[in-house]
Amino acid sequence: EAVKALLEAKKAQWQRRIIRTIVASILLGLAYGVPRIWMTRANQQHANSAMALANEAQYSAAVVEYYKCYDIPLLVSRPKLPANVMTAIETADRQRQEDLRSALDQADKMLSESRFQEAESSAKEALSLTCTYGEKRNVNATLAAISGAQAKARHDEWMAKAQEEILLANKIELLRKALSHKHVGSTYQLLQAAIAEQNRRPKIGDTITNSIDMKLVYVPQGEFIMGGSEGKDEGPPHKVTISKGFYMGMYEVTQGQYKAVMGSNPSGHKKLLTGGRLPVERVAQHAAACRQ
């Protein structure tokens, strides 16, 4: 009984193996056959369309349609068309490839001359001539290079304008716009430095107090009319240009402040109890020049 049960189990095991092998074979056949049948039918449709276009002398369109046929080893390949049709398609394909190379060369030339719009137009024309994945990849790489070069040129232009504006008018608006083109890593740092520099620069009306207790107000660069029409000492009116901003004392220089800088007090009215707070007088122009 034991031997009989063992033989039955062995037989069942072999039957299961045979069934699994048959099922696997059927699945493999379906996995190979179904796509092959589908692609063969699709190939034939594309080939028929290519032949119809070739018969109408639309050879460029026939090339594009024929390239839609699959060419996969062990599955399907492009169907062969009549010799005259194949000759016409191959001739048109060679012309297509020459036009594609010419358009790409033109795009590269325009890019080297920084003529970005013309380069992009040529690259898009080349893209319309592509049929294979490799051709599309090469043209897309050219388009990406054009886009990157154009963005960098635009960035550099904004940066140059921004730097000029900062130097001339202390503005940072253009730098903020340049920041939107993040193709150069130093843009953000430059913007932050410009903002910090602007915050450090004094503005009209700012006041400071120096080490000898003089209160100074900031006078920015600019122009104004000095002099008046009345009085011989006030005319004639003339334009004065201040090329660089400076701090000017808000009040008269006291005797104590003058002495702290010049080392002497030329005033004729000195009162000890005032602590040197009286204005300094009897100062000649040449004597008032600050020592370096």
Side-chain angles (χ1 to χ4, degrees), residues 149-165:
Q150 188 175 16
K152 185 179 184 304
R154 186 165 57 247
H155 169 275
D156 293 342
E157 180 183 358
W158 279 115
M159 290 297 292
K161 289 181 179 179
Q163 289 173 338
E164 180 181 357
E165 287 292 326

Side-chain angles (χ1 to χ4, degrees), residues 204-217:
I204 184 171
D206 287 354
T207 60
I208 61 173
T209 301
N210 64 11
S211 59
I212 57 174
D213 203 30
M214 292 181 68
K215 192 170 184 179
L216 310 173
V217 63

Side-chain angles (χ1 to χ4, degrees), residues 4-282:
K4 185 178 180 180
L6 182 60
L7 291 174
E8 290 292 337
K10 204 70 169 172
K11 182 180 178 180
Q13 183 180 11
W14 277 105
Q15 288 176 346
R16 286 194 297 270
R17 286 183 179 179
I18 292 171
I19 292 171
R20 283 199 297 265
T21 302
I22 293 172
V23 171
S25 300
I26 293 173
L27 292 176
L28 286 174
L30 291 173
Y32 172 79
V34 172
R36 190 174 189 279
I37 294 171
W38 178 79
M39 286 188 288
T40 301
R41 175 180 287 184
N43 271 5
Q44 195 57 50
Q45 291 176 351
H46 292 310
N48 293 339
S49 297
M51 186 179 300
L53 291 169
N55 291 333
E56 296 174 2
Q58 300 182 30
Y59 298 114
S60 298
V63 169
V64 174
E65 194 66 26
Y66 191 64
Y67 262 104
K68 293 179 181 179
C69 295
Y70 294 91
D71 190 5
I72 304 175
L74 302 178
L75 285 180
V76 294
S77 59
R78 293 190 180 97
K80 294 296 183 182
L81 301 179
N84 61 329
V85 177
M86 285 301 302
T87 301
I89 288 179
E90 289 171 357
T91 302
D93 189 32
R94 285 193 293 272
Q95 183 62 46
R96 178 193 68 83
Q97 293 179 16
E98 290 178 7
D99 293 342
L100 174 60
R101 284 192 295 269
S102 176
L104 277 177
D105 292 341
Q106 183 72 7
D108 291 337
K109 180 182 178 182
M110 296 297 102
L111 177 59
S112 65
E113 296 174 359
S114 298
R115 296 159 63 179
F116 301 116
Q117 291 184 346
E118 297 176 39
E120 186 177 10
S121 177
S122 297
K124 288 181 177 179
E125 179 184 352
L127 187 62
S128 68
L129 295 170
T130 59
C131 287
T132 66
Y133 172 76
E135 291 172 347
K136 287 183 173 64
R137 181 183 58 190
N138 292 337
V139 176
N140 284 329
T142 301
L143 280 170
I146 293 171
S147 177
Q150 188 175 16
K152 185 179 184 304
R154 186 165 57 247
H155 169 275
D156 293 342
E157 180 183 358
W158 279 115
M159 290 297 292
K161 289 181 179 179
Q163 289 173 338
E164 180 181 357
E165 287 292 326
I166 288 174
L167 292 174
L168 296 179
N170 300 331
K171 293 181 180 178
I172 61 172
E173 303 303 325
L174 289 172
L175 260 180
R176 294 187 188 280
K177 195 163 187 177
L179 185 60
S180 64
H181 303 288
K182 299 178 181 177
H183 296 279
V184 176
S186 61
T187 303
Y188 182 77
Q189 289 82 354
L190 181 57
L191 174 61
Q192 295 302 315
I195 293 174
E197 177 64 23
Q198 187 186 44
N199 291 336
R200 286 195 298 269
R201 291 176 179 174
K203 298 179 288 295
I204 184 171
D206 287 354
T207 60
I208 61 173
T209 301
N210 64 11
S211 59
I212 57 174
D213 203 30
M214 292 181 68
K215 192 170 184 179
L216 310 173
V217 63
Y218 183 71
V219 179
Q221 64 183 33
E223 298 178 347
F224 69 98
I225 300 299
M226 177 182 285
S229 57
E230 299 179 0
K232 63 179 182 179
D233 296 331
E234 298 180 0
H238 58 284
K239 183 171 68 174
V240 175
T241 300
I242 301 175
S243 59
K244 186 178 181 181
F246 65 96
Y247 282 95
M248 183 174 67
M250 296 179 63
Y251 309 108
E252 297 92 340
V253 178
T254 66
Q255 296 178 16
Q257 292 167 348
Y258 187 89
K259 185 175 181 179
V261 176
M262 305 300 294
S264 61
N265 182 7
S267 301
H269 301 279
K270 303 176 184 178
K271 294 183 179 181
L272 298 178
L273 296 180
T274 62
R277 291 193 297 274
L278 292 177
V280 66
E281 24 87 12
R282 293 187 182 181

